[in-house]
Amino acid sequence: MSRKPLMVIPVEAPVQHTAFDLHETLIDAIHRSGQTLQDGDVLAVSSKYTAISEGRVIMLDSIVVGDEAEKLAERYKMNPRIVQLVLQEADHVFGGIPGFLLTYKEGILSPNAGIDRSNVPNGFAVLFPEKPYQSAANIRRVLRERLQVDVGVILTDSWLMPGRLGTSGVALATAGFRPIQDERGKIDLFGNPMQVTQRGIADSICVCAQMVMGETAEATPIAIVRHAGVELVDIELSAQDVAIPWQMCIYVESLTNGLLAHPEAVIVSPNGHSGHEIKRLER
């Protein structure tokens, strides 16, 4: 059975730096764009735009830095106030490299607990929305009440894929449809049953939306994704519906508890030095 071509429609909205009425702004922006939401659409909304609407913008000079943050800032060559924010916001901090701490936050492995300093005035930082899944559900509820339309909602973010240059889209929160499509037990083209495949539908839609929303000065924090083929459902979702415990993550566990013990087996770095050689050169 053929499906209609996927459509991704960018929607511009006013630049914001302080708390504002997100729902009114979304509806007005869609109206001004000349678009109309249809049943079955997925509305992608920037998680940063959502966070700003909630007043989740922090003036860095207001942050009181503790001893632990001072030590980590010195070790990783970071702004101590950013480190303090990371310690306050992250669910878990693994470690870091100069300039960044690797954290687990809202079910996502992310640098600096998702704290962002782009597209906000100098000296400020934006945190994740306080309760992203609740924020997404509220957007869906208001659109249904105000516009009489049944849509899915994604709060979009960007992340660094391990081992790859560049950022990609990731769904911070979802409402109105299941973010994972379970393919286990289905039969492939050659009659083999699928064993482990679960498709990240919300993340895939987010990647499409990010292509038109941009990352810098586009002022396009909204996108309408049409014909995505999602099945809308009225269920309460949370990070547990899409995330696995970080202790089960192949990237985290392979580089911690699952790390090869034999030093000669360490993968060679791009400059040609093995891991134990790098340690020797750094001494």
Side-chain angles (χ1 to χ4, degrees):
M1 180 172 137
S2 62
R3 280 175 49 178
K4 295 180 180 179
L6 182 71
M7 297 176 60
V8 185
I9 305 165
V11 177
E12 295 184 1
V15 175
Q16 306 281 0
H17 298 309
T18 57
F20 64 98
D21 187 330
L22 177 63
H23 304 142
E24 190 68 36
T25 301
L26 292 176
I27 292 171
D28 184 63
I30 293 168
H31 175 73
R32 288 177 178 273
S33 72
Q35 300 295 328
T36 304
L37 284 174
Q38 301 177 10
D39 286 339
D41 285 349
V42 176
L43 186 69
V45 183
S46 161
S47 64
K48 180 190 292 186
Y49 204 64
T50 304
I52 293 172
S53 78
E54 298 174 0
R56 298 278 285 167
V57 182
I58 303 295
M59 184 171 64
L60 294 179
D61 284 347
S62 69
I63 302 300
V64 178
V65 179
D67 292 341
E68 184 181 2
E70 289 282 8
K71 292 175 182 177
L72 289 175
E74 182 178 357
R75 177 176 179 179
Y76 295 112
K77 299 177 176 61
M78 294 178 63
N79 181 329
R81 291 185 173 90
I82 293 293
V83 175
Q84 183 64 47
L85 269 182
V86 171
L87 294 179
Q88 292 172 193
E89 291 295 312
D91 298 325
H92 185 80
V93 179
F94 297 100
I97 62 172
F100 299 95
L101 292 172
L102 179 62
T103 64
Y104 187 78
K105 172 74 173 175
E106 298 293 347
I108 298 174
L109 287 172
S110 62
N112 295 346
I115 295 167
D116 198 336
R117 298 176 66 184
S118 63
N119 288 316
V120 291
N122 188 36
F124 290 80
V126 183
L127 312 179
F128 273 167
E130 187 169 5
K131 296 180 179 179
Y133 280 87
Q134 182 176 311
S135 298
N138 287 340
I139 292 171
R140 181 174 188 247
R141 174 184 54 80
V142 170
L143 293 176
R144 176 183 278 176
E145 293 173 355
R146 297 275 299 276
L147 302 181
Q148 304 298 305
V149 65
D150 193 13
V151 300
V153 173
I154 294 175
L155 298 189
T156 71
D157 207 334
S158 57
W159 78 312
L160 295 169
M161 184 177 295
R164 302 287 288 186
L165 284 172
T167 60
S168 181
V170 63
L172 179 61
T174 307
F177 67 97
R178 298 185 188 278
I180 301 297
Q181 183 173 314
D182 195 345
E183 304 286 1
R184 292 174 296 180
K186 295 182 180 180
I187 305 301
D188 69 11
L189 292 172
F190 297 94
N192 304 305
M194 305 294 286
Q195 299 292 328
V196 297
T197 300
Q198 299 184 72
R199 297 175 59 204
I201 299 300
D203 288 340
S204 297
I205 294 173
C206 184
V207 170
C208 297
Q210 291 283 82
M211 289 296 292
V212 302
M213 294 167 72
E215 292 279 0
T216 53
E218 290 85 354
T220 310
I222 310 163
I224 300 169
V225 183
R226 186 159 293 155
H227 308 318
V230 300
E231 179 182 354
L232 297 180
V233 290
D234 292 323
I235 56 174
E236 183 176 342
L237 297 169
S238 71
Q240 282 65 46
D241 291 292
V242 66
I244 60 174
W246 58 259
Q247 296 90 341
M248 296 174 60
C249 173
I250 186 172
Y251 298 110
V252 173
E253 282 296 274
S254 296
L255 295 173
T256 52
N257 294 336
L259 188 66
L260 290 171
H262 198 288
E264 300 300 330
V266 175
I267 295 175
V268 175
S269 68
N271 63 9
H273 296 298
S274 67
H276 73 284
E277 287 174 331
I278 290 172
K279 290 179 181 177
R280 175 172 56 80
L281 290 169
E282 288 176 344
R283 292 193 183 107

